[in-house]
């Protein structure tokens, strides 16, 4: 461990912008997005793949950025919570539903939840309430007791917030 | 609009108060633009990691840091002596020195696994961790004291102490009259509850960025419950002026009692930053959080209840123990649990003994409703008592609940109470839930082999403490109408998810008469606003809300005075609505608040004589010493008797939190607490093995409730205004207090055909299967394993000295009280069997006379603060040591120890 770590060049698109960097092989995507790319909306709640707070969207799929190495995202298109709303600031329907339904308190778990639901409802996918709830079982929220998240999911399934 | 709020009347139909206003905090949090401590990066900032003890108890023989220091990118590796600072003192939550000195880094001995020993400063967190892993420590390992049972019989873990009792109150011997009532009652039950250790586990771990600016000036970004409280604590611990400490905590990812004060790692980082001269960041990772961070609960409570043939309560006795770990954030025996255990019921007499114990585990910190064990043991005991005499458990509650019409009243411990609405909540719950219908459904289901259960529980909690705990008093609101007509407020409140920037803005908009959108509330920075203890004890809605109401109404009066002067009208004719100032009967004179504000700030000539320019007001609201929040909940579960799994089918809450500022936020507080309750009853356990190693080190071992574990909750709000300004009652902690007994009672009801369910949390499937199958399925998993005997020598009893005891002279003595350790000096003079002398303490000098018998001395002192009580000292001298008990009226007894000076 005391030897200098080998470094690699990576290139990826983050929230629509190109990012080039030379990084240590051992660096997680989550650490890279926060520390090197400046997207501090990516939250690390456990760094062992259980809490879901670190979830980002990699090539359209929700991914736990604490379990993926940054070098593995070479050439990928990454979206973090900062890149989910429209350019003019208009909320994505997922963000709007979470806000309307008081689905957050401290907001630490929220970025991961936003990314999972955004990936799941992308394009013309029409996930059912059950599918979204099942996806949510991989996210821990210590504050809310999940009531608002459930209601937001009901809303999204009904297509109301769109 | 704008009629002044009268204390005790509540505000039920405000324009904004009572509305589900969307939260001000959400837009930034939903778009990743929050500012949590780990989001802060400062120029020149370096990173800290700790090397931690790998054993629970032992002596450090050597520490080898050479390899760590040689690692490229490492700037320093420091041990205890390296960060020492003259004048620094580690303080408890109560801003007093901790009962046993708490080192920042372990020096010669280690007292729990995970205890920090060395602090590494490096270019990155990764390098700091690499270096920490290269440090080699050699130990002489000792047998650890891990469990409460071991604490009672094992050697003291702290050198220089006689035993592992951190703090004690009450009486070991049951009062004679009480014992007679217990013995003579038609029925008695003795009920035992074991509450496991819990990790508070906010989703954001602890963390700090410490930056020393110049001499004696600090800027701290820290995850906390109040930046004001942190500044006060740090200034007192370091001896710096409070205003030299700038604390910023804009967003905090949950706390639940954990982040009341900076603890060892945060404080070590501060001292290291002062010495090193560059900004330092320490962010706790989840492994550290689960293995080395202060934790909570781990308690045992035995409760005896005597009642007559009709179920009427006659007497009760309680025995409580809590594992305080090695270094609690204030030694704790949970006196509040005894004060409140019978507050909502008519219990004629109650006695107790209560103790906190030191062990070789991480220290105790607060967690949502720290005294919640009283509701758990009482409400589960009541169900056992009801089943014993064959009545519905709710019926036993109805027969004994303290009725609203019977108040004001005095509890069995002599505490005056008023405004407890537990009866109201229970009635409302039962009106909305058909118990007989459920019983029919339950009987049918049982025939089909399905085991449904109903749990009901009720409680009261004291909220918004003002004056009964030293750092909790009033809250401050500074409200200003800016020259633009927009309103800004600096509040002493703080949110770790509570949404106070929303609720306080609702209150201000409502009382001032401006649009909610025009109000911005600043908190999270101690340079804005004045001292407040933060989110603790369900206080902010009550105390902060009252401050915001009064300040807004004072400001409205100021606007009206100016408008009346400008338009030659009487102040009563002026009203403010939606940011417009109107004069009754003269619509043409309506002006925007902006126009009025502009005059107030820019045209002193137009102001009334003596009028202060500008539009700003501040008010600190001190609510009554305690406000009472009550609730009654019902829950239905199904227990699968094949697997032992519990499914929650329905949960109805009936709360009385007085005036509701924002129902969505109130319900969020309740359900967040209930999810934590479900975790405590079914899932979570911060277990240790027999050697004191934490064995739940990840969230794969420490199970937090997920969305699939938490049902949809139903709400009934009673909304009885309290006696505070605004009528709020506080709602932060309730769910975590009432939730556990509600769920335990439902499970016990479901499994009643199989026998009583021992309340030994968490009620895992294997524990429930043990009840269902009538044999031990649980085996020695989890916490049970830690009970495996470890050879420990019994504590040496202080030798009773015979013959002449030398009592005369001066003694330095320490009394452990509910408010922390009290230091005093005693002067004693004997003359035969007569004793005279005085005590010197922070409160001044008090003289007394008393009696002496051999080496024993007795005397009494009356005190007036915090209330009138007589302290009865019962002490013994043994050579140069003095020890004994001090009876403190209804507060029970405290331990006193000391030495001859
Ligand atoms: S931080 Fe990645 S799952 Fe918890
Ligand atoms: S809102 Fe705090 S963890 Fe989810």
């Amino acid at each position: 461990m005391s030897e200098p770590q080998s470094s690699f060049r990576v290139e990826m698109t983050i929230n629509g912008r190109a990012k080039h960097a030379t990084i240590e092989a051992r660096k997680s995507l989550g650490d890279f997005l926060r520390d090197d790319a400046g997207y501090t909306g990516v939250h690390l709640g456990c760094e062992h793949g259980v809490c879901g707070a670190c979830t980002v969207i990699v090539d359209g799929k929700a991914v736990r950025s604490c379990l993926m190495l940054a070098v593995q995202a070479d050439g990928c298109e990454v979206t973090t919570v900062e890149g989910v709303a429209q350019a003019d600031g208009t909320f994505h329907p997922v963000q709007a539903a979470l806000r309307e339904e008081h689905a957050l308190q401290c907001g630490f778990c929220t970025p991961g939840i936003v990314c999972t639901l955004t990936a799941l409802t992308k394009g013309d996918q029409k996930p059912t309430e059950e599918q979204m709830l099942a996806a949510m079982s991989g996210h821990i929220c210590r504050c809310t007791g999940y009531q608002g998240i459930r209601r937001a999911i009901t809303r999204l399934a009904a297509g109301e917030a769109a | 609009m704008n009629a002044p709020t009268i204390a005790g009347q509540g505000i039920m139909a405000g324009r904004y108060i009572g509305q589900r206003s969307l939260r001000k905090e959400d837009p930034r949090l939903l778009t990743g633009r929050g500012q949590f401590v780990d989001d802060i990066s400062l120029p020149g900032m370096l990173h800290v990691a700790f090397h931690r003890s790998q054993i629970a108890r032992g002596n450090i023989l050597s520490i080898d840091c050479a390899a760590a220091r040689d690692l490229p990118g490492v700037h320093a590796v420091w041990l205890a002596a390296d960060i020492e600072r003259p004048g620094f003192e580690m303080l408890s939550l109560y801003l007093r020195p901790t009962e046993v000195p708490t080192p920042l880094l372990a020096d010669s001995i280690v007292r729990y696994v995970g205890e920090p020993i060395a602090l590494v400063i490096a270019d990155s967190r990764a390098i700091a961790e690499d270096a920490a892993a290269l440090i080699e420590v050699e130990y002489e390992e000792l047998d650890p004291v891990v469990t409460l049972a071991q604490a009672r019989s094992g050697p003291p873990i702290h050198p220089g102490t006689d035993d592992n009792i951190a703090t004690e109150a009450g009486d070991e011997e049951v009062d004679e009259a009480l014992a007679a009532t217990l013995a003579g009652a038609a029925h008695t039950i003795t009920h035992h509850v074991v509450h496991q250790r819990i990790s508070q586990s906010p989703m954001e771990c602890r963390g700090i960025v410490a930056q020393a600016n110049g001499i004696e000036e600090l800027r701290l970004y820290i995850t906390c419950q109040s930046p004001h409280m942190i500044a006060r604590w740090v200034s007192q611990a370091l001896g710096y002026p409070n205003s030299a400490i700038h604390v910023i905590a804009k967003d905090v990812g949950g706390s639940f009692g954990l982040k009341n004060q900076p603890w060892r790692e945060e404080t070590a980082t501060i001292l290291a930053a002062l010495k090193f001269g560059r900004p330092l960041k320490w962010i706790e990772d989840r492994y550290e959080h689960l293995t080395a961070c202060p934790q909570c609960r781990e308690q045992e409570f035995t409760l005896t209840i005597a009642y007559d043939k009709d179920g009427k309560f006659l007497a009760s006795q309680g025995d409580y123990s809590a594992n305080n770990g090695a270094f609690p954030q204030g030694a704790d025996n949970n006196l509040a649990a005894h004060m409140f255990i019978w507050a909502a019921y008519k219990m004629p007499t109650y006695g107790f003994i209560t103790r906190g114990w030191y062990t070789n585990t991480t220290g105790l910190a607060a967690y949502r409703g720290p005294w919640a064990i009283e509701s758990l043991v009482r409400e589960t005991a009541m169900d056992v008592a009801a089943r014993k005499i064959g009545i519905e458990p709710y019926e036993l509650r109805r027969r004994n609940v303290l009725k609203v019409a019977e108040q004001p009243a005095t509890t069995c411990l002599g505490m005056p109470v008023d405004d407890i609405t537990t009866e109201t909540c229970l009635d409302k719950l039962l009106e909305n839930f058909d118990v007989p219908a459920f019983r029919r459904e339950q009987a049918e289901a049982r025939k089909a082999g399905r085991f449904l259960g109903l749990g009901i529980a009720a409680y009261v909690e004291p909220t918004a403490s003002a004056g009964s705990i030293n750092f909790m008093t009033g809250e401050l609101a500074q409200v200003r109408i800016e020259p633009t007509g927009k309103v800004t407020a600096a509040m002493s409140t703080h949110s770790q998810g509570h949404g106070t920037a929303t609720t306080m803005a609702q209150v201000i908009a409502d009382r001032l008469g401006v649009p909610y959108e025009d109000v911005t509330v600043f908190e999270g920075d101690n340079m804005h606003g004045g001292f407040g203890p933060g989110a603790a004890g369900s206080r902010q809605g009550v105390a902060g809300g009252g401050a915001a109401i009064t300040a807004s109404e004072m400001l409205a009066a100021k606007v009206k005075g100016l408008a009346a002067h400008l338009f030659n009208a009487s102040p009563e004719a002026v009203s403010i609505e939606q940011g417009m100032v109107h004069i009754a009967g003269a619509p043409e004179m309506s002006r925007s608040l902006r126009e009025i504000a502009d005059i107030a700030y820019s045209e002193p000539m137009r102001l009334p004589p003596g009028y202060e320019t500008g539009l700003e007001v501040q008010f600190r609201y001190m609510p009554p010493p305690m406000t009472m929040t009550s609730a009654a909940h019902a829950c239905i579960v199904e227990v699968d008797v094949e697997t032992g799994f519990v499914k929650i089918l329905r949960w109805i809450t009936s709360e009385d939190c007085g005036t509701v500022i924002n129902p969505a936020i109130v319900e969020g507080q309740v359900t967040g607490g209930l999810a934590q309750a479900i975790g405590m009853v079914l899932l979570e356990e911060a277990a240790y093995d027999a050697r004191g190693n934490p064995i739940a080190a990840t969230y794969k071992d420490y199970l937090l409730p997920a969305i699939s574990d938490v049902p949809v909750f139903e709400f009934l709000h009673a909304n009885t205004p309290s006696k505070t300004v605004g009528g709020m009652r506080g709602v932060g902690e309730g769910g975590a207090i009432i939730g556990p007994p509600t769920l335990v009672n439902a499970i016990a009801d479901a499994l009643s055909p199989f026998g009583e369910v021992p309340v030994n949390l968490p009620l895992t499937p294997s524990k429930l299967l043990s009840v269902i199958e009538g044999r031990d399925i649980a085996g020695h998993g989890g916490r049970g394993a830690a009970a495996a005997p470890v050879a420990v020598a019994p504590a040496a009893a202080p030798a009773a000295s015979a013959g002449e005891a030398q009592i005369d002279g001066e003694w330095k003595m320490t009394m452990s009280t509910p408010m922390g350790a009290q230091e005093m000096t005693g002067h004693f003079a004997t003359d035969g069997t007569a004793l005279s002398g005085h005590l010197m303490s922070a409160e001044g000098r008090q003289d007394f006379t008393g009696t002496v018998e051999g080496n024993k001395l007795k005397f009494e002192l009356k005190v007036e603060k915090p209330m009138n009580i007589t302290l009865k000292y019962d002490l013994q001298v043994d050579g140069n040591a003095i020890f004994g008990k001090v009876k403190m009226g209804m507060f029970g007894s405290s331990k006193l120890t000391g030495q001859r000076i």
Side-chain angles (χ1 to χ4, degrees):
Chain A
M1 279 222 294
S2 53
E3 292 306 308
Q5 303 289 314
S6 51
S7 292
F8 295 85
R9 273 197 62 75
V10 293
E11 274 183 48
M12 63 183 92
T13 312
I14 308 174
N15 298 332
R17 295 200 186 118
K19 172 80 187 170
H20 304 256
T22 304
I23 48 176
E24 278 183 42
R26 66 172 174 172
K27 182 165 252 172
S28 73
L29 178 60
D31 281 345
F32 173 72
L33 290 170
R34 287 182 55 80
D35 301 343
D36 299 62
Y39 292 102
T40 53
V42 179
H43 290 170
L44 301 173
C46 70
E47 296 175 89
H48 52 248
V50 180
C51 77
C54 66
T55 305
V56 298
I57 304 169
V58 179
D59 289 344
K61 290 210 166 58
V63 163
R64 303 198 162 208
S65 66
C66 71
L67 292 186
M68 184 170 185
L69 293 172
V71 289
Q72 293 175 294
D74 189 24
C76 293
E77 197 172 309
V78 178
T79 306
T80 70
V81 68
E82 287 97 333
V84 168
Q86 289 174 29
D88 69 356
T90 308
F91 276 167
H92 185 279
V94 165
Q95 291 166 316
L98 291 169
R99 181 171 197 217
E100 292 286 326
E101 294 297 350
H102 285 263
L104 54 148
Q105 287 180 21
C106 78
F108 198 83
C109 67
T110 309
I113 290 172
V114 168
C115 287
T116 292
L117 290 176
T118 301
L120 211 55
T121 53
K122 216 173 110 212
D124 16 288
Q125 301 179 78
K126 290 264 175 291
T128 62
E129 207 165 325
E130 288 66 36
Q131 285 168 327
M132 283 189 273
L133 282 172
M136 247 343 88
S137 69
H139 286 267
I140 294 170
C141 173
R142 190 57 154 166
C143 297
T144 63
Y146 304 103
Q147 306 294 298
I149 299 170
R150 277 179 185 278
R151 291 191 303 264
I153 285 174
T154 307
R155 219 179 237 254
L156 288 167
E160 268 178 48
Chain B
M1 181 61 53
N2 306 138
T5 303
I6 296 170
Q9 292 200 345
I11 304 165
M12 293 303 157
R15 184 185 287 268
Y16 297 111
I17 292 176
Q19 304 302 314
R20 293 177 186 264
S21 304
L22 294 182
R23 296 202 328 161
K24 301 258 185 198
E25 296 86 347
D26 288 358
R28 70 170 185 271
L29 295 172
L30 282 162
T31 54
R33 275 148 187 114
Q35 190 197 80
F36 297 86
V37 60
D38 195 22
D39 302 344
I40 302 298
S41 258
L42 301 177
M45 185 178 83
L46 298 171
H47 298 262
V48 166
F50 292 93
H51 178 88
R52 296 173 180 279
S53 174
Q54 285 159 25
I55 64 166
R57 181 164 173 249
N59 298 315
I60 296 178
L61 301 177
S62 68
I63 305 175
D64 181 356
C65 301
R69 289 196 173 110
D70 286 347
L71 191 73
V74 170
H75 294 257
V77 178
W78 281 343
L79 303 177
D82 298 315
I83 59 165
E84 252 173 33
R85 195 174 178 86
F88 168 78
E89 190 158 34
M90 190 67 174
L91 303 178
S92 74
L93 171 59
Y94 303 100
L95 300 161
R96 307 246 164 86
T98 53
E99 284 76 8
V100 291
T102 304
L104 296 179
L105 299 174
D107 195 351
S108 51
I109 59 172
V110 289
R111 283 169 269 199
Y112 61 93
V113 171
E115 182 164 7
I117 296 173
L119 177 151
V120 179
I121 302 175
D123 282 334
S124 71
R125 168 71 185 217
I127 296 170
E129 279 182 28
D130 289 347
L134 291 171
I135 295 170
E136 304 258 6
V137 180
E138 238 189 299
Y139 303 95
E140 175 200 8
E141 195 170 351
L142 300 171
D143 282 330
V145 171
V146 182
T147 62
L148 279 169
Q150 290 167 353
R152 291 183 188 110
S153 62
I157 69 150
H158 292 298
T161 55
D162 309 334
D163 54 34
N164 286 313
I165 297 178
T167 167
E168 174 180 38
D171 246 320
E172 185 85 63
E173 299 108 61
V174 180
D175 176 83
E176 267 177 43
L178 198 155
T181 316
L182 293 176
H187 304 283
T188 53
I189 60 148
T190 292
H191 182 65
H192 186 60
V193 163
V194 179
H195 199 309
Q196 80 280 40
R197 179 179 282 246
I198 292 292
S199 158
Q200 292 88 341
S201 278
M203 290 322 293
E204 180 199 29
C205 292
R206 294 180 297 152
I208 186 167
V209 176
Q211 181 183 28
N213 292 333
I215 306 298
E216 296 210 338
E217 208 182 303
L218 264 174
R219 174 178 292 197
L220 307 174
Y221 297 84
I222 183 168
T223 177
C224 64
Q225 293 188 184
S226 159
H228 304 284
M229 182 68 188
I230 299 296
R232 182 167 168 184
W233 190 96
V234 171
S235 79
Q236 282 182 226
L238 286 176
Y240 280 18
N242 201 328
S243 53
I245 321 275
H246 185 183
V247 182
I248 301 168
K250 189 162 162 63
D251 287 305
V252 174
S255 176
F256 316 113
L258 174 66
K259 300 170 180 172
N260 267 311
Q261 69 165 103
W263 198 232
R264 298 176 68 170
E265 292 86 347
E266 297 95 312
T267 313
T269 305
I270 294 172
L271 264 54
L274 283 170
K275 176 167 172 175
F276 198 80
R278 278 172 71 172
L280 297 182
K281 176 190 266 192
W282 172 68
I283 301 296
E284 181 184 56
D285 69 17
R286 191 56 71 181
Y287 176 73
E288 290 178 289
H289 184 83
L290 285 170
T291 58
C293 179
Q295 297 173 335
C296 55
R297 303 294 200 259
E298 197 177 351
Q299 306 154 316
E300 292 177 10
F301 205 130
T302 303
L303 185 68
T304 302
I305 304 176
Y307 50 112
D308 71 11
K309 61 179 191 345
D310 300 320
K312 205 164 132 284
F313 293 153
L314 301 173
S316 175
Q317 176 73 25
D319 182 339
Y320 170 85
S321 287
N323 191 332
N324 276 211
F327 299 102
Q329 292 186 345
D332 188 53
N333 60 36
N334 220 334
L335 199 55
H338 303 283
M339 297 301 292
F340 284 92
I341 189 166
W342 293 114
Y345 292 95
K346 286 172 282 189
M347 174 60 79
T349 166
Y350 176 65
F352 66 90
I353 174 76
T354 192
R355 295 188 181 100
W357 297 88
Y358 290 123
T359 64
N360 293 115
T361 60
T362 70
L364 175 74
Y367 186 50
R368 214 169 194 168
W371 60 93
I373 189 89
E374 51 80 37
S375 283
L376 178 65
V377 71
R378 177 192 65 242
E379 294 297 315
T380 55
M382 280 169 66
D383 273 33
V384 176
R387 276 193 286 275
K388 191 171 170 191
I389 57 170
I391 64 170
E392 273 289 349
Y394 76 78
E395 189 50 41
L396 188 70
R397 291 182 173 82
R398 268 200 165 153
R399 288 180 198 176
N400 290 286
V401 73
L402 178 64
K403 298 194 166 42
V404 172
E406 291 165 342
Q407 299 174 58
T410 304
T411 69
C412 48
L413 289 183
M415 182 175 66
V417 289
D418 193 6
D419 202 22
I420 293 179
T421 56
T422 310
E423 179 202 14
T424 316
C425 297
L426 191 58
D427 285 351
K428 199 160 181 133
L429 180 72
L430 294 169
E431 278 160 26
N432 287 277
F433 182 79
D434 187 345
V435 176
F438 171 77
R439 291 295 176 211
R440 290 191 292 275
E441 186 189 340
Q442 184 183 37
E444 284 304 309
R446 271 186 198 164
K447 282 186 215 153
R450 292 177 55 219
F451 290 82
L452 304 182
L454 166 66
I456 288 179
Y459 92 120
V460 67
E461 66 168 312
T463 65
S465 160
S468 47
I469 299 176
N470 63 348
F471 61 95
M472 293 191 189
T473 51
E475 295 282 346
L476 183 77
Q478 295 174 325
V479 188
R480 159 181 310 144
I481 301 170
E482 297 183 347
T484 58
K486 302 281 191 230
V487 178
T488 55
M491 295 292 307
S492 61
T493 50
H494 188 243
S495 169
Q496 303 96 54
H498 305 81
T500 34
T502 297
T503 47
M504 295 302 127
Q506 285 179 259
V507 164
I508 292 164
D510 194 293
R511 296 291 98 182
L512 197 51
V514 300
Y516 169 66
E517 296 69 35
D518 284 359
V519 183
T520 306
V521 170
F522 288 102
E523 37 179 35
D525 183 331
N526 75 315
M527 294 295 155
H528 285 296
F531 179 78
S538 305
R539 62 178 291 106
Q540 302 200 110
V542 182
I549 287 173
T550 307
S552 303
E553 291 175 354
M554 287 163 67
L555 189 52
K558 201 165 177 206
V559 170
K560 288 178 190 179
L562 175 55
H565 176 76
L566 291 171
F567 300 112
N568 217 357
S570 78
E572 295 73 51
V574 185
S575 65
I576 315 170
E577 274 173 52
Q578 287 298 291
M580 291 296 293
V581 181
H582 303 289
I583 310 290
E588 71 286 358
M589 288 185 185
S590 293
R591 293 289 183 276
S592 70
L593 212 42
R594 182 188 183 125
E595 290 169 81
I596 302 289
D598 197 53
I599 294 168
Y601 283 97
S602 330
E603 299 184 62
M605 305 306 288
R606 293 179 67 187
L607 305 181
Y611 195 93
E612 198 175 63
T613 57
L615 289 174
E616 45 209 353
V617 151
Q618 82 166 30
F619 182 76
R620 184 174 278 280
Y621 176 54
M622 173 84 177
M626 281 186 290
T627 299
M628 298 292 187
T629 290
S630 298
H633 286 204
C635 156
I636 297 174
V637 299
E638 176 167 358
V639 183
D640 184 326
V641 295
E642 296 297 318
T643 63
F645 274 95
V646 174
K647 190 167 168 49
I648 301 170
L649 303 177
R650 209 179 156 194
W651 196 308
I652 309 162
T653 75
S654 167
E655 309 283 329
D656 190 357
C657 55
T659 299
V660 170
I661 301 173
N662 184 325
I665 285 178
V666 162
E667 289 166 8
Q669 287 297 313
V670 174
T671 61
L674 287 176
Q676 291 172 338
I678 292 168
M680 285 188 272
V681 174
L682 297 177
L683 301 166
E684 299 175 34
E685 181 168 29
Y688 284 76
D689 72 8
R691 298 304 299 172
N693 295 300
I695 54 176
T698 72
Y699 281 153
K700 292 182 178 114
D701 317 294
Y702 190 86
L703 303 178
L704 290 171
I707 198 166
S708 42
D709 300 306
V710 181
V712 173
F713 297 105
E714 301 162 50
F715 302 98
L716 301 165
H717 296 297
N719 300 357
T720 319
S722 73
K723 299 193 169 165
T724 66
V725 168
M728 288 74 78
R729 287 180 185 270
V731 71
E733 289 160 302
I737 303 173
I738 181 102
T742 307
L743 182 51
V744 169
N745 282 345
I747 295 167
D749 183 49
L751 296 185
S752 59
F754 302 96
E756 288 294 343
V757 174
V759 186
N760 180 355
L761 303 184
L763 298 179
T764 55
S766 58
K767 285 187 196 156
L768 296 182
L769 278 177
S770 301
V771 176
I772 294 161
E773 303 201 1
R775 62 198 173 92
D776 183 11
I777 308 272
H780 289 293
R783 184 76 206 173
V790 175
V792 278
S801 76
E804 280 302 283
Q806 181 52 32
I807 291 172
D808 291 38
E810 281 200 35
W811 299 81
K812 186 171 162 28
M813 307 190 293
T814 308
M815 188 164 102
S816 31
T817 78
M819 314 271 286
Q822 304 273 3
E823 305 284 341
M824 60 184 106
T825 318
H827 300 254
F828 301 130
T830 54
D831 182 5
T833 57
L835 171 75
S836 63
H838 64 264
L839 292 185
M840 293 292 294
S841 68
E843 266 74 58
R845 174 184 164 134
Q846 286 180 294
D847 292 291
F848 56 79
T849 56
T851 57
V852 182
E853 200 190 312
N855 64 335
K856 300 200 168 93
L857 49 156
K858 288 189 181 185
F859 57 94
E860 295 187 3
L861 275 177
K862 286 200 191 330
V863 294
E864 284 165 8
K865 278 197 301 188
M867 55 184 80
N868 284 326
I869 42 176
T870 300
L871 304 181
K872 296 184 182 174
Y873 289 77
D874 192 346
L875 308 178
Q876 263 188 60
V877 164
D878 178 23
N880 286 328
I882 189 163
F883 55 92
K885 283 204 288 192
V886 184
K887 270 203 165 188
M888 306 186 294
M890 65 173 170
F891 293 106
S893 296
S894 268
K895 211 169 94 166
L896 183 146
T897 55
Q899 305 90 37
R900 188 187 299 281
I901 302 177

